[in-house]
Amino acid sequence: MIIFNYLLVCLIFGTTFLAIKVGVDASAPPFFSAGLRFFVAGLILFLWMVWRKKASLALLFRKEMLFTGIGLTFGTFSTLYWAEQYVSSGIAAVLSATGPIMILVLQTFVMRLKTTALSVFGCILGFSGIVLLLLPRLSVSANIGGVAGSVAILVGELFYSSGALYSKKVIQQFPQASPIALNAAQMICGGLLLLILSSFTEIVDIKSLLTTRAVGSLFYLIVIGSMVGHSLFYWLVAKTNPVFPATWLYISPLIALVFGVIFYGETITWVTALGVITIIAGTVCANLDSLKQLIHRRKTA
């Protein structure tokens, strides 16, 4: 059951990038779409946890939920949704996989934690892969939108990394609260911030949201991407540990690339393919020590 759910998480998270692309290409406002997705999904999950007496409404008014929502939802997905107007879903997925490398960089240079030579090598390898991905966009006929979109996703991953590190402290601070309830609360806060951003920057045309593609994209992202995907993810965390489920980042970008090529006509060059392989290899190297510790603990147990 654990392996089946893990593969399902990889598939769900891998296909969300294409679902975002479909919605954005259908003229759905990116910030509004992202805000609606996370606010609705978070609200349903949170009310469900309240009904099961595993969360209290007071949790929504904690500043910790706001700060976590800024990192994990607002900063991460405002940039991702905006960027997918200009980059393919596969490239967006690969660049989003740099999150673990960003976390390692923050832990090393900001939090002053010791790291290994292998992890440093992984960071350098991952950065090299990012350069390879950006090279085709830095040609003489430069695609400014593609470059800006790629950089925006990387900025979003800095938000994600900061939010992920902060959320570890939040989970320890609220040991009685369910991780699903904490995640739902931060999604509500992040979703509200996205909707506020949309109200200042976008003109929402209801007709553009009522097309088959826009509605289908939003429904899939709310129900499958956010509610089912994140619930399964936290179920895996509870049944195993935080490291094992997070390895979806090594598999989902490949799923996103394949789905983008087969179902949406996206193309990749050999330079792009080399960049993809380099980034994933760098991510694995950067986190190999954690994976080894996980395997060792499981053998000991």
Side-chain angles (χ1 to χ4, degrees):
M1 193 66 178
I2 288 176
I3 297 299
F4 175 79
N5 284 341
Y6 169 73
L7 293 175
L8 191 56
V9 165
C10 292
L11 179 63
I12 289 173
F13 286 168
T15 53
T16 54
F17 294 94
L18 181 56
I20 293 172
K21 183 70 173 175
V22 169
V24 169
D25 285 353
S27 299
F31 300 145
F32 183 81
S33 301
L36 195 60
R37 167 193 175 182
F38 286 104
F39 180 76
V40 172
L43 185 62
I44 294 173
L45 279 176
F46 191 79
L47 290 177
W48 179 59
M49 297 304 292
V50 170
W51 179 70
R52 295 185 61 195
K53 301 187 187 304
K54 292 190 175 182
S56 66
L57 291 174
L59 192 63
L60 289 175
F61 301 98
R62 298 292 305 226
K63 66 179 186 300
E64 291 85 0
M65 297 303 102
L66 175 62
F67 294 152
T68 308
I70 290 173
L72 294 182
T73 296
F74 176 75
T76 303
F77 289 95
S78 61
T79 51
L80 176 62
Y81 270 70
W82 180 85
E84 286 214 37
Q85 297 175 105
Y86 309 104
V87 301
S88 69
S89 61
I91 297 303
V94 174
L95 289 172
S96 295
T98 59
I101 295 178
M102 301 279 190
I103 290 175
L104 187 64
V105 170
L106 288 177
Q107 287 178 325
T108 303
F109 295 101
V110 178
M111 301 172 67
R112 300 295 181 181
L113 297 180
K114 290 184 178 180
T115 188
T116 63
L118 181 61
S119 295
V120 173
F121 171 74
C123 290
I124 296 172
L125 195 61
F127 179 77
S128 302
I130 293 171
V131 173
L132 285 173
L133 276 186
L134 292 179
L135 273 179
R137 294 165 176 78
L138 295 175
S139 59
V140 176
S141 56
N143 180 355
I144 301 301
V147 174
S150 300
V151 172
I153 293 174
L154 295 175
V155 171
E157 287 309 300
L158 279 175
F159 274 95
Y160 168 80
S161 304
S162 302
L165 291 172
Y166 180 73
S167 66
K168 291 181 180 180
K169 296 182 179 179
V170 173
I171 291 174
Q172 294 172 353
Q173 190 173 340
F174 298 93
Q176 304 303 320
S178 165
I180 294 178
L182 293 174
N183 183 58
Q186 71 85 11
M187 281 199 294
I188 292 173
C189 293
L192 274 175
L193 290 174
L194 284 163
L195 290 174
I196 292 171
L197 176 63
S198 172
S199 69
F200 284 102
T201 60
E202 297 173 332
I203 298 175
V204 179
D205 181 7
I206 299 300
K207 290 182 179 179
S208 69
L209 296 174
L210 296 180
T211 63
T212 303
R213 285 192 170 191
V215 171
S217 167
L218 190 60
F219 179 80
Y220 183 84
L221 290 167
I222 289 174
V223 178
I224 306 299
S226 295
M227 294 175 63
V228 176
H230 283 88
S231 295
L232 283 176
F233 179 82
Y234 283 106
W235 181 86
L236 285 169
V237 170
K239 293 294 182 180
T240 56
N241 52 68
V243 178
F244 173 67
T247 56
W248 71 267
L249 281 164
Y250 312 143
I251 300 174
S252 290
L254 299 177
I255 294 175
L257 279 167
V258 171
F259 270 65
V261 170
I262 295 176
F263 296 107
Y264 211 61
E266 296 179 350
T267 58
I268 56 173
T269 65
W270 69 269
V271 177
T272 300
L274 184 60
V276 169
I277 295 171
T278 305
I279 286 176
I280 294 176
T283 305
V284 171
C285 288
N287 293 272
L288 195 58
D289 293 320
S290 297
L291 293 173
K292 285 180 178 179
Q293 291 174 11
L294 166 62
I295 295 172
H296 178 71
R297 282 199 299 266
R298 288 179 65 86
K299 287 182 178 180
T300 303

